[in-house]
Amino acid sequence: MQAIRNLSLALTVLFVAGCSSFTSENSPNLPRNAQWGIVPMVNYSQTPQAGERSEQILLSVLSSHGLQPRVYPTSTQGEQALMDDNERLNGALEWAREQKLDYVVAGSVEEWQYKNGLDGEPAVGISLRVLEANSGRVLWSKSGARAGWSRESLAGNAQTVIDKLVGALRFE
């Protein structure tokens, strides 16, 4: 009976672990007291404003890890709203240099949706990168994806993914 219970527990753990996927790359030691910023997240998903939503969650998660990053001011009017994502990122990096930031966290949203079907599970895919603000050099990057249960929210899944991604950063 104990063997069946142990096997069931092991299978459950494997099943739950199979619902998420993360790349692994070791983070360099980054100074916590440096000047940090968040630049716009590129939205590759089909959900409008998924990038902006993930930026807000990222700000909260970074704050919980002891960082107080500055956030690139966004505009929903005029030409900036119509700009290509790469142009917006280049503008944000220029802003980071003007603000004399040391590091910025950038990224992209690959998936942000409720899957089709009766259960409608939330599915999130997010990539994060830490860039040196002066040079734009990528110091660290990591991606993660998670499909939740039907009673979970997209925001909750995104927070789980972003928290795991940020948790892989090593701070001094």
Side-chain angles (χ1 to χ4, degrees):
M1 188 61 145
Q2 183 67 22
I4 292 173
R5 186 178 299 150
N6 289 340
L7 181 61
S8 296
L9 179 62
L11 288 174
T12 302
V13 168
L14 285 174
F15 177 72
V16 171
C19 295
S20 61
S21 172
F22 290 85
T23 62
S24 61
E25 180 179 326
N26 291 333
S27 162
N29 287 331
L30 300 164
R32 189 180 308 272
N33 60 351
Q35 297 296 313
W36 287 84
I38 297 176
V39 294
M41 300 272 287
V42 178
N43 184 11
Y44 293 120
S45 77
Q46 296 182 5
T47 304
Q49 297 181 328
E52 289 86 349
R53 294 173 189 175
S54 60
E55 288 168 31
Q56 294 303 312
I57 295 170
L58 176 61
L59 175 62
S60 174
V61 170
L62 287 172
S63 296
S64 74
H65 285 268
L67 299 179
Q68 296 302 317
R70 288 188 225 157
V71 179
Y72 179 67
T74 58
S75 171
T76 57
Q77 299 176 356
E79 292 179 14
Q80 185 179 10
L82 301 175
M83 273 188 201
D84 175 74
D85 285 328
N86 289 323
E87 288 180 41
R88 284 182 38 231
L89 182 57
N90 288 336
L93 288 175
E94 184 60 37
W95 167 83
R97 288 182 202 100
E98 290 170 3
Q99 298 293 313
K100 300 193 184 339
L101 299 179
D102 300 311
Y103 305 102
V104 293
V105 180
S108 59
V109 178
E110 285 78 30
E111 185 174 17
W112 187 285
Q113 67 175 348
Y114 286 99
K115 290 187 172 190
N116 292 334
L118 294 176
D119 291 340
E121 298 97 353
V124 173
I126 295 173
S127 298
L128 293 180
R129 318 180 264 175
V130 173
L131 306 171
E132 220 172 43
N134 283 335
S135 66
R137 183 171 64 111
V138 177
L139 301 175
W140 171 87
S141 69
K142 188 171 176 103
S143 297
R146 182 174 191 273
W149 300 99
S150 61
R151 295 178 188 217
E152 294 179 319
S153 68
L154 277 171
N157 269 294
Q159 184 167 355
T160 299
V161 169
I162 291 172
D163 193 45
K164 186 157 183 160
L165 294 174
V166 171
L169 287 170
R170 294 185 299 187
F171 296 108
E172 316 179 312

